[in-house]
Amino acid sequence: MRKLSIRKAGAACLAALTALAVLTGCGDSGEASKDGKTEMVLNEVAHSIFYAPMYVAIEEGYFAEAGIELTLVTGFGADKTMTAVLTGEADIGFMGSESTIYTYAGGTEDYVVNFAQLTQRAGNFLVSREPIEDFTWDMVKGRDVLGGRAGGMPEMVFEYILEKNGIDPATDVSIDQSIDFGSTAAAFSGGQGDFTVVRDVLLHH
């Protein structure tokens, strides 16, 4: 049995960083409920305003109209969402594509397959500790940045943007990759880093 993987739903996002995100699901999963609908569990990597179209579809009953009784669960991390799919706890995973690549490269026979691209941009923002007017990317040179988990989509996209602007992520910037992306906002609020990569999170200093 080969499991499947989908890209996250979202409207046009005003974001500085561009990324691709994916959902993952199991091909022959789902059980019939008492009312005849197919029961499905969808595990989302994070609960985000950028996934609003999916939440609207759930609330407006679009899944129910299609004969699907959907249960939404938040995994709080692509690794956790992928584990839920691989172990059968979830029928569909809603995450970035990196976990699909890692599990396939690791030799997993029952690997997931990305089957839909629902966004072309990610809601990632680079936030500075001090106010900056007329920001340019060279301002991050020599500074400490909370980038998120090594190998995670936000961190990889951030490095891609740096390289596109002539900045070497390995030598020009000190990127802290030891903090999970979901915890970078709290770490930054606590005083760590000159900049941080965040997703739809409001920071108060």
Side-chain angles (χ1 to χ4, degrees):
M1 177 186 65
R2 293 173 63 189
K3 295 186 175 68
L4 305 176
S5 178
I6 301 184
R7 294 197 181 231
K8 57 191 175 188
C13 304
L14 300 177
L17 308 178
T18 304
L20 298 177
V22 196
L23 274 173
T24 42
C26 188
D28 60 353
S29 57
E31 299 179 357
S33 62
K34 293 181 180 179
D35 57 4
K37 291 184 174 62
T38 300
E39 296 181 345
M40 302 287 290
V41 176
L42 189 157
N43 188 302
E44 60 177 358
V45 65
H47 203 62
S48 168
I49 190 173
F50 291 98
Y51 308 153
M54 180 178 69
Y55 305 143
V56 171
I58 294 172
E59 292 299 319
E60 292 296 318
Y62 297 157
F63 287 94
E65 290 177 11
I68 299 172
E69 185 175 316
L70 188 70
T71 299
L72 182 64
V73 178
T74 304
F76 297 105
D79 55 337
K80 299 178 181 62
T81 297
M82 178 62 75
T83 298
V85 175
L86 293 176
T87 59
E89 294 180 12
D91 302 302
I92 300 174
F94 199 40
M95 70 189 88
S97 58
E98 73 276 14
S99 291
T100 302
I101 298 170
Y102 298 149
T103 53
Y104 180 80
T108 301
E109 293 184 5
D110 192 15
Y111 57 87
V112 301
V113 178
N114 301 343
F115 65 89
Q117 175 182 335
L118 303 182
T119 61
Q120 294 180 334
R121 297 181 183 277
N124 301 342
F125 299 84
L126 182 66
V127 176
S128 171
R129 184 165 302 284
E130 302 297 333
I132 296 178
E133 294 186 11
D134 301 321
F135 172 81
T136 58
W137 281 99
D138 60 1
M139 292 180 180
V140 302
K141 287 185 176 181
R143 310 298 290 275
D144 296 324
V145 182
L146 305 185
R149 176 175 55 86
M153 189 61 73
E155 161 62 18
M156 291 192 293
V157 170
F158 176 58
E159 292 194 14
Y160 172 78
I161 295 295
L162 291 178
E163 291 177 353
K164 292 286 285 185
N165 286 274
I167 300 172
D168 188 336
T171 61
D172 293 337
V173 187
S174 176
I175 305 177
D176 188 337
Q177 302 179 25
S178 66
I179 304 172
D180 185 83
F181 188 66
S183 303
T184 53
F188 188 72
S189 296
Q192 292 183 241
D194 301 309
F195 294 89
T196 185
V197 178
V198 300
R199 174 179 292 162
D200 57 81
V201 177
L202 295 178
L203 298 176
H204 301 281
H205 180 63

